[in-house]
Amino acid sequence: MMNDYVVETINDILNEFIVGFHGPKESMFSNLFNIGLYEGGVWKIRVELPDAYPYKSPSIRFVNKILHPNVDETSGSVCLDVINQSWSPMFDLLNIFEVFLPQLLLYPNPSHPLNRDAASLMMKDRKQYDQKVKEFCELYAKKEDIMKPTAGEETDDDEDVTDGETCSSDDEIDGRADP
């Protein structure tokens, strides 16, 4: 399926699996735009393919912790328009792991967050945000830990934005109160 990815099915069901996802490598613009913070980190991404896949988008969430404005810190759900709202059957899992998720990590959108604390810190103190991202990578995204069982990984009760919930976008007003 994909090169350099560790893939493990959940309960031997082919439409539910965990993929080991490596943070995107720095680019030539990394120093200019302060990106590449997630390089070296490895995350477990839970993928659930609906019966109507590829006509319906897969459910994608981070299993191990990540600090990012567009990833819910509790459920690991991802706020990514291309998965949640504008999915097309032309897309496949390779697009998600080679393009969509790397772009999400390289270019967070703190204006429409799922993790308000991360977004607030990013907008108020970018240097402290960057340091905290690196700390999270060191604590929770180690390569040697990615395929070890994680508590709660097998549950289906987690909220998941990719299962119909929507995150805020540029076209809508976020009606939730600030914490």
Side-chain angles (χ1 to χ4, degrees):
M1 176 172 88
M2 300 178 277
N3 295 332
D4 300 326
Y5 292 97
V6 176
V7 179
E8 182 178 301
T9 59
I10 298 173
N11 297 326
D12 294 324
I13 300 171
L14 294 179
N15 66 338
E16 294 182 29
F17 46 92
I18 301 288
V19 177
F21 171 72
H22 295 257
K25 294 186 183 336
E26 292 187 41
S27 71
M28 62 186 222
F29 301 108
S30 295
N31 293 334
L32 293 173
F33 299 108
N34 221 4
I35 58 178
L37 294 173
Y38 299 93
E39 183 175 4
V42 184
W43 288 268
K44 291 180 178 183
I45 306 295
R46 183 176 176 136
V47 178
E48 296 179 32
L49 301 177
D51 291 337
Y53 177 82
Y55 300 102
K56 186 175 181 221
S57 66
S59 172
I60 305 292
R61 72 176 180 89
F62 285 81
V63 175
N64 47 329
K65 286 187 177 187
I66 184 168
L67 182 69
H68 191 283
N70 309 114
V71 178
D72 183 270
E73 67 182 318
T74 305
S75 69
S77 296
V78 176
C79 181
L80 193 57
D81 285 344
V82 72
I83 294 173
N84 298 325
Q85 297 168 1
S86 58
W87 179 261
S88 165
M90 293 182 355
F91 301 138
D92 61 18
L93 294 176
L94 197 56
N95 292 115
I96 291 171
F97 289 98
E98 294 290 328
V99 179
F100 305 151
L101 287 178
Q103 292 296 308
L104 177 76
L105 296 186
L106 290 171
Y107 306 106
N109 182 359
S111 300
H112 302 287
L114 283 176
N115 182 337
R116 291 184 177 281
D117 293 337
S120 177
L121 183 60
M122 182 181 185
M123 290 190 291
K124 291 178 182 172
D125 189 343
R126 183 60 191 246
K127 190 173 183 174
Q128 186 180 1
Y129 169 82
D130 291 352
Q131 182 59 40
K132 197 163 183 175
V133 166
K134 290 177 184 177
E135 288 173 15
F136 265 63
C137 288
E138 291 172 20
L139 289 172
Y140 305 111
K142 294 178 183 173
K143 184 176 183 175
E144 59 270 16
D145 295 334
I146 66 159
M147 294 319 279
K148 290 181 182 175
T150 303
E153 177 173 290
E154 301 291 333
T155 65
D156 292 324
D157 297 335
D158 297 327
E159 287 184 33
D160 195 341
V161 170
T162 59
D163 280 340
E165 222 179 285
T166 60
C167 53
S168 56
S169 70
D170 293 334
D171 298 329
E172 62 186 42
I173 298 171
D174 191 351
R176 294 177 284 181
D178 288 338

